[in-house]
Amino acid sequence: MKTIDELLADGVAGKRVFVRADLNVPLDGTTITDDGRIRAVLPTVKALAEAGARVVVASHLGRPKGAPDPAFSLAPAAARIGELLGADVRFATDTVGDSAKATVADLADGQVAVIENLRFNAGETAKDDAERGAFADQLAALADVYVGDGFGAVHRKHASVYDLPAKLPHYAGYLIATEVGVLKKLTEDVQRPYTVILGGAKVSDKLAVIDELLGKADRLLIGGGMAYTFLKAKGYEVGISLLQEDQIPVVTEYMARAEKSGVELVLPVDVLVSKNFPDLKTKAPADFETVDADKIPADQEGLDIGPKSRELFASKIADAETVFWNGPVGVAEHPDYAGGTAAVARALLNCDGFTVVGGGDSAAAVRNLGFEENAFGHISTGGGASLEYLEGKTLPGLAALEN
């Protein structure tokens, strides 16, 4: 795929450059609680603006139902981009309507505008090719060149990600180029030992990537809510912990495959349990005890990996040459159940190998727990996109940029 460096070399002064970013940031009302995705696209936006381009930044946020919804406005993201750039950033209150057209038309060389949430238009996510294409045509009218830099959305066959690049000269931004380079190190040029840590709530969300990694990873560490389906498959009592009973046959098969292929599949050996799910809003102190993983009481729920598991996981990370981590290993939103996730993060920091935090909740947890981002090899901006790439799937947004 062509990169932004090639675009800049050809000259962009005076050109309208449409940057498909990923500004899907968490909000508390209108307050951004984690601006990592905004900061990730800044190098591309800044380089284009400094070269004299008229930069039009577009993104989705949340899941509005194809119509305007103030709760999902990109206005806070536009304001934050302006703060980080130290420049005035215009904001269009629609996607392809009068406000967007006027805002883009008024841009001077080197100025930046953000248009409203793309998902306020049903054409962005339409299953119908013609409807999606028609919206892409309207977006194309706002620009001369397309730069794809929203890695967190490249696994979606959406108008601004998949259809629009075909209608304009198109290039990959700095973020996408970096993300793809990292993923190739995890799939094509892997340094071993290769340790993968998977967490999160549902094992069903990770089955495809586990299936693929059983032929590639040396060690597979399982934590989070998904671990309890594995523990149940071993015949353990898991109490009222998160459990997908319908996935037990698949999990049982995966454990047998791992043993047969020599992949070390590591499960928690102790867990923090409680009768009451923690209050995530006020983060009030929680009641819990630590028990061995095969001794979870029938009336209690596993909410984090325990001290022995943290040491075990750290030992499996310590000598790795490549580490990929996706998903918290406990309810990291609550301080009493964030210890396991923090322990995994520290283990990555202490590892001399190439470490990748695979986006989504694990990336947010790293930042929220106060770890320095530049201490890791890479923190991805796209959890779902990273997983689908590791599964071996073709990502529509990348395919569109390569075409």
Side-chain angles (χ1 to χ4, degrees), residues 159-206:
S160 65
V161 175
Y162 178 73
D163 302 271
L164 182 55
K167 301 176 184 297
L168 294 169
H170 48 271
Y171 302 81
Y174 290 126
L175 175 60
I176 279 187
T178 297
E179 294 274 14
V180 171
V182 166
L183 287 167
K184 286 183 177 179
K185 287 187 178 182
L186 298 176
T187 54
E188 299 174 15
D189 186 26
V190 180
Q191 302 299 304
R192 300 184 181 278
Y194 180 18
T195 296
V196 175
I197 310 106
L198 295 176
K202 295 181 178 180
V203 69
S204 57
D205 292 341
K206 305 286 169 67

Side-chain angles (χ1 to χ4, degrees), residues 63-89:
R63 296 179 182 273
K65 298 180 179 179
D69 183 339
F72 298 108
S73 175
L74 280 175
R80 183 60 179 150
I81 291 173
E83 291 172 1
L84 293 169
L85 288 176
D88 177 51
V89 169

Side-chain angles (χ1 to χ4, degrees), residues 198-248:
L198 295 176
K202 295 181 178 180
V203 69
S204 57
D205 292 341
K206 305 286 169 67
L207 286 177
V209 76
I210 293 172
D211 183 48
E212 188 72 16
L213 288 170
L214 284 174
K216 290 187 170 70
D218 299 301
R219 300 165 186 152
L220 193 53
L221 282 50
I222 306 292
M226 61 185 286
Y228 301 100
T229 302
F230 281 85
L231 294 173
K232 185 72 171 179
K234 288 175 68 71
Y236 297 168
E237 170 66 58
V238 297
I240 57 173
S241 305
L242 278 174
L243 176 65
Q244 291 185 283
E245 276 200 80
D246 60 324
Q247 302 299 332
I248 289 176

Side-chain angles (χ1 to χ4, degrees), residues 61 125 300 352 381:
L61 192 155
T125 59
Q300 301 209 35
D352 291 331
T381 57

